[in-house]
Amino acid sequence: MNRNMTIGGHVVGASLALALMGGASSALAAPITFFGEDTSTAGVLGTNSAQARTDFLANLTGVGNEDFESFTSGSSSPLNLSFPGSSGSLSATLTGTGVIAGSPAVGRFATSGTKYLEVSTGSFVIDFLDPVSAFGFNGIDIGDFVTNQMVLKLTNTLGDTTELTVPHSLGIGNFAQATLFFGFYDLAQSFTSIEFTNAGGGDLFAFDDMVIGDAEQVTPTPVPEPATLALLGLGLLGLGARRRLFSRSA
């Protein structure tokens, strides 16, 4: 006989608990993203962008920041990057259309220091020698001439791919000095490469202050909602088993 529990006036069975757990498992497979945008600034990282970055970093421990200050202006890809990891350095290589710029240009500037990565329309790729589970960046002057939003193509350690669209505005003024922050972390998988793509427009963008983290550096607090649902599901299963045990004893 199936036995149900009543919680808050609703009948809840063990099958629902299993569904919650299954849903939690599926939800954990998707990266958790952070985004903030300022369509016009005075040449500094905007308030919304900075807040999104702060929210993202609150979920990480012991990560570093690539501000491109160690590179010579005019350096082009491949660029070798290094970040602190949980047990040593995390190495990465950036290839594609990027070049290190050392002074402001039309709509573009560094969000820290004086240097930044300037990229033309097309794509660039960051390959990680050590798999990462978190990545974030400041973007500058994105969304004025391009006709589509930027897409990040993530490749995990099994070779499977996930695409994340950066939901930035289009049609931003050429001199608006717009900024954004976009980042993600993933509790279920790690990635070996990230490809940036943006179609159309013949535009130039700037990137600065990139952050990566390995799985051990992702320390979200509080526990994300899907995990909370999984705990609820386990609790419901436990209560159901206890009721069945007492029923048989009676």
Side-chain angles (χ1 to χ4, degrees):
M1 178 182 296
N2 292 327
R3 295 185 179 274
N4 297 317
M5 295 173 287
T6 301
I7 299 178
H10 298 281
V11 178
V12 180
S15 59
L16 176 57
L18 289 172
L20 287 172
M21 293 177 66
S25 176
S26 298
L28 282 175
I32 297 172
T33 61
F34 299 79
F35 175 75
E37 179 184 52
D38 299 88
T39 56
S40 178
T41 76
V44 296
L45 187 67
T47 302
N48 297 327
S49 308
Q51 184 60 58
R53 183 180 180 89
T54 297
D55 293 342
F56 169 71
L57 291 175
N59 296 278
L60 306 178
T61 301
V63 295
N65 181 60
E66 177 56 78
D67 57 12
F68 302 104
E69 296 300 307
S70 64
F71 292 94
T72 301
S73 297
S75 298
S76 58
S77 64
L79 299 173
N80 295 320
L81 311 178
S82 181
F83 300 81
S86 59
S87 58
S89 297
L90 303 175
S91 299
T93 302
L94 187 152
T95 57
T97 59
V99 61
I100 301 299
S103 59
V106 177
R108 299 180 297 283
F109 56 91
T111 54
S112 67
T114 60
K115 297 177 183 177
Y116 56 92
L117 178 69
E118 186 175 71
V119 179
S120 61
T121 301
S123 68
F124 68 93
V125 180
I126 303 176
D127 292 304
F128 302 102
L129 179 62
D130 310 285
V132 302
S133 295
F135 178 78
F137 63 91
N138 295 341
I140 307 97
D141 194 37
I142 297 175
D144 46 6
F145 291 112
V146 292
T147 55
N148 293 292
Q149 292 173 321
M150 181 170 293
V151 175
L152 273 58
K153 182 179 179 181
L154 318 179
T155 302
N156 69 12
T157 53
L158 299 177
D160 300 323
T161 59
T162 300
E163 289 191 347
L164 300 178
T165 298
V166 181
H168 61 78
S169 301
L170 298 174
I172 296 173
N174 189 33
F175 296 92
Q177 298 181 305
T179 67
L180 64 81
F181 175 82
F182 185 82
F184 72 88
Y185 69 78
D186 197 309
L187 297 173
Q189 55 187 333
S190 295
F191 303 94
T192 58
S193 75
I194 299 176
E195 180 180 5
F196 289 67
T197 62
N198 197 318
D203 199 10
L204 292 171
F205 322 114
F207 296 88
D208 203 1
D209 296 315
M210 292 182 173
V211 176
I212 68 173
D214 60 33
E216 287 71 26
Q217 291 174 297
V218 180
T219 54
T221 303
V223 177
E225 182 178 348
T228 303
L229 289 176
L231 292 175
L232 173 61
L234 288 172
L236 292 175
L237 284 176
L239 286 172
R242 183 180 180 187
R243 287 176 62 91
R244 286 194 296 272
L245 178 61
F246 286 161
S247 176
R248 290 172 183 172
S249 298

